Amino acid sequence: MRVLIVGGGVLGTMHAWQALSRGHDVIQLEREPEARGASVRNFGLVWVSGRADGAELATAARARELWAELGAAVPGLGFRAAGSLTALRTDAELAVAEAFVASGAAAQRGTTLLDPVEARLRNPVLRGDFLAALWCERDAVVEPRTAQPALREHLLATGRYAWLPGREVRELTANGVRDDHGQVHEADLVLLCIGAQLGGLAREIAGELPLRRVRLQMMQTEPLGEEFPTALADADSLRYYPAYAGPALDELRVRQPQPAVADEHAMQLLVVQRRDGGLTIGDTHGYAEPFPFDTDEQPYEYLREVTESLLGRELPLIRRRWAGVYAQSLTGEIVHRARLTERAWVIAGPGGRGMTCSPAIAETTALEAGL
């Protein structure tokens, strides 16, 4: 079978990997010279810890297994079984963590509650004040800026894969697609992994998709100068991830409202060290379009303050700031996956789960599409 993938981001590239691994020939088209969207503008986190019970947790857990397998085969992915620490600084935050552990939900995710001494054994850079930390051994890290090119290089070695960047698809035909160079690419199966591009051809062929777009802001520092061995979250992540929902979280929201800037920008702190030693720090969530075309400095200042308070030291200079946009399902699905024609599917809208769940999402598509 000849499979055509539209979209060069992590979701499209994982679908290419799944098709190739099942013995099919693959051609992958990307409108840009290289993927430029949310697939490269994220933390590179494989985040199991906060996922909702049921399908979301199962998908994240399976994806974690697949990332580990891929990481062993493709060192350029930068896969590291780093784990994560979620720092708890108040009694109300600690109460949420204790309820999470007592419910048994933590054990399902490989999570335990550590005191500060135990947490610093996991990550000695945490020299600031905190009461305890949730440790999740199943969380992991990859390198978002190099993951897609590294995986494509691995796929090219099969001799059954073609990568065609700078090609925007203009038409879905009966037997494939036509690109903006006028070239027709025939295929037995077309998988449209459209990212956050919800208008244009996507709307023409799929209608109004049940997705919304979400904007984020992030930044990266110069090298820290010391190893930062785990991912790090603050307790605002308890408000954001569904695994922690319950009466204790409801009480936290009442007793401890977020600071105004964090509330306005729907913020949580996540920190990951890159292979060059710099720290990726974020993030914000914006839901109201039209999105601003500039970045707001106030959230960056807040993120810096929170990070420095947990590290007990100043951060290096900020090297980069950026904004990104991803698509998120409005129906509670892990991803929106729909058959458009006998030969074509659209797969889009994993939201902030895209980097975590993409290998398992692609595996499920392969099964449903009969690859």
Side-chain angles (χ1 to χ4, degrees), residues 172-192:
L172 179 65
T173 70
N175 299 311
V177 301
R178 180 180 61 81
D179 69 24
D180 58 353
H181 294 244
Q183 185 174 354
V184 174
H185 307 274
E186 294 187 354
D188 301 292
L189 181 67
V190 177
L191 302 177
L192 297 156

Side-chain angles (χ1 to χ4, degrees), residues 8-328:
V10 67
L11 197 57
T13 307
M14 287 297 177
H15 279 82
W17 163 66
Q18 275 289 323
L20 279 165
S21 69
R22 293 162 189 267
H24 305 295
D25 296 332
V26 173
I27 180 171
Q28 186 175 12
L29 278 61
E30 162 58 38
R31 61 189 292 174
E32 300 280 358
E34 181 56 81
R36 305 286 291 169
S39 294
V40 297
R41 304 188 192 201
N42 64 75
F43 294 96
L45 284 171
V46 182
W47 199 254
V48 178
S49 51
R51 302 303 171 193
D53 288 338
E56 183 176 345
L57 179 58
T59 302
R62 175 56 179 159
R64 171 64 171 80
E65 295 174 358
L66 294 171
W67 272 117
E69 292 175 15
L70 274 169
V74 187
L77 293 176
F79 176 83
R80 307 189 296 283
S84 74
L85 290 166
T86 300
L88 312 162
R89 295 183 291 175
T90 69
D91 290 337
E93 294 170 358
L94 181 57
V96 178
E98 289 173 336
F100 177 63
V101 171
S103 72
Q108 297 174 22
R109 295 160 176 81
T111 301
T112 54
L113 187 60
L114 306 182
D115 65 31
V117 173
E118 293 169 322
R120 291 185 181 109
L121 290 174
R122 298 286 183 182
N123 191 335
V125 185
L126 300 180
R127 305 182 184 102
D129 294 329
F130 57 96
L131 298 178
L134 284 169
W135 159 250
C136 181
E137 64 182 8
R138 300 180 72 186
D139 290 339
V141 177
V142 296
E143 291 298 310
R145 292 174 183 254
T146 61
Q148 281 83 249
L151 183 52
R152 286 201 310 270
E153 185 177 350
H154 178 73
L155 301 181
L156 285 166
T158 67
R160 295 183 288 108
Y161 170 76
W163 162 248
L164 293 179
R167 304 287 185 120
E168 185 168 347
V169 172
R170 295 296 197 192
E171 180 184 0
L172 179 65
T173 70
N175 299 311
V177 301
R178 180 180 61 81
D179 69 24
D180 58 353
H181 294 244
Q183 185 174 354
V184 174
H185 307 274
E186 294 187 354
D188 301 292
L189 181 67
V190 177
L191 302 177
L192 297 156
C193 300
I194 58 174
Q197 301 295 329
L198 306 183
L201 179 68
R203 180 178 289 117
E204 181 180 330
I205 62 178
E208 291 293 336
L209 294 168
L211 307 173
R212 68 173 175 179
R213 303 201 317 154
V214 183
R215 181 181 183 271
L216 57 82
Q217 287 187 200
M218 295 170 60
M219 61 183 175
Q220 186 171 326
T221 72
E222 294 286 351
L224 183 66
E226 54 186 325
E227 184 181 359
F228 195 87
T230 73
L232 173 67
D234 76 344
D236 279 343
S237 66
L238 305 178
R239 306 169 191 261
Y240 183 74
Y241 289 105
Y244 308 107
L249 180 60
D250 295 339
E251 181 69 13
L252 171 68
R253 295 183 189 280
V254 172
R255 291 176 53 192
Q256 188 178 309
Q258 284 185 292
V261 63
D263 180 60
E264 179 185 354
H265 295 275
M267 295 176 68
Q268 62 173 335
L269 174 72
L270 296 172
V271 183
V272 184
Q273 189 169 46
R274 304 270 66 94
R275 286 192 294 188
D276 69 357
L279 299 180
T280 300
I281 302 172
D283 65 346
T284 66
H285 301 86
Y287 303 102
E289 296 199 55
F291 296 132
F293 59 82
D294 46 12
T295 57
D296 188 334
E297 191 63 21
Q298 195 174 18
Y300 290 123
E301 294 174 359
Y302 176 80
L303 290 168
R304 174 187 280 277
E305 290 172 3
V306 176
T307 306
E308 290 181 343
S309 72
L310 291 171
L311 272 56
R313 56 161 287 181
E314 291 186 359
L315 286 173
L317 292 174
I318 303 302
R319 175 188 292 177
R320 303 183 182 100
R321 292 174 169 83
W322 66 90
V325 176
Y326 60 79
Q328 180 183 63

Side-chain angles (χ1 to χ4, degrees), residues 1 172 188-192 205-207 209-210 333 335-348 365-371:
M1 183 183 291
L172 179 65
D188 301 292
L189 181 67
V190 177
L191 302 177
L192 297 156
I205 62 178
L209 294 168
E333 304 168 284
V335 69
H336 178 69
R337 184 188 292 105
R339 192 168 202 152
L340 303 176
T341 70
E342 186 65 26
R343 296 188 181 213
W345 294 67
V346 62
I347 307 102
T365 300
L367 295 172
E368 293 192 8
L371 287 179

